[in-house]
Amino acid sequence: GLWFMLGVCGHAAGALACNRLVRAIPMKKLVLISAFITALGASLMLVLVWSGLNHPLAVMGPMMLYLFGHGITSPLCMMGAVAPFPRLAGTASALFGFVLALVAALVGQVAMRFYDGTGISLACIVVISAACLLVTAGIVAGRQPLAAG
């Protein structure tokens, strides 16, 4: 439970940082920055577990960085999903949450099927998710922003 707490702290710190950074950095630039932080954490985790480092910090240290980036990205994504529908903000938010939970459940099922007793399968899934975020952030950065920035 204490190791898990590191991830929670990383995510909470990212959400708090987002609150401050969104005032100083344009939204589409902040999405790119947070996507790179997320990818850095994912890549670091893969390198550490692939090298055979068998310690909880080899997974949870990079996961903390990954979740820090995710903590910045999540509120920005929610803002981007809700902004085009101001009169249906509650519905848009609920749909966003549903899709997020559905994808998490599907990824959890895939992760379970590939678990081999090491951190490699987790690291690979985290790297794939970070790569998807980078691609999506690149697409968003190339478009007109939906909110300030």
Side-chain angles (χ1 to χ4, degrees), residues 78 82-83 85-95:
M78 178 64 80
V82 173
F85 311 102
R87 301 184 87 190
L88 298 170
T91 303
S93 176
L95 182 59

Side-chain angles (χ1 to χ4, degrees), residues 14-149:
L16 291 171
C18 181
N19 184 38
R20 297 218 182 244
L21 293 172
V22 77
R23 298 174 196 169
I25 301 172
M27 186 172 150
K28 64 182 180 178
K29 186 175 182 180
L30 189 54
V31 168
L32 279 174
I33 291 168
S34 64
F36 279 110
I37 292 169
T38 301
L40 178 65
S43 301
L44 182 59
M45 181 192 300
L46 184 61
V47 167
L48 290 175
V49 298
W50 202 287
S51 70
L53 203 66
N54 191 15
H55 190 277
L57 275 178
V59 172
M60 290 311 298
M63 182 60 87
M64 192 173 178
L65 182 61
Y66 173 89
L67 289 171
F68 177 81
H70 187 270
I72 296 171
T73 305
S74 292
L76 298 174
C77 291
M78 178 64 80
M79 189 172 25
V82 173
F85 311 102
R87 301 184 87 190
L88 298 170
T91 303
S93 176
L95 182 59
F96 180 86
F98 170 76
V99 171
L100 184 66
L102 180 65
V103 170
L106 293 173
V107 169
Q109 290 299 309
V110 170
M112 180 179 67
R113 303 269 188 269
F114 288 100
Y115 180 66
D116 62 356
T118 70
I120 292 175
S121 57
L122 172 65
C124 288
I125 288 172
V126 168
V127 166
I128 291 168
S129 73
C132 291
L133 175 61
L134 276 173
V135 169
T136 305
I139 292 168
V140 168
R143 301 177 83 197
Q144 288 291 358
L146 297 175

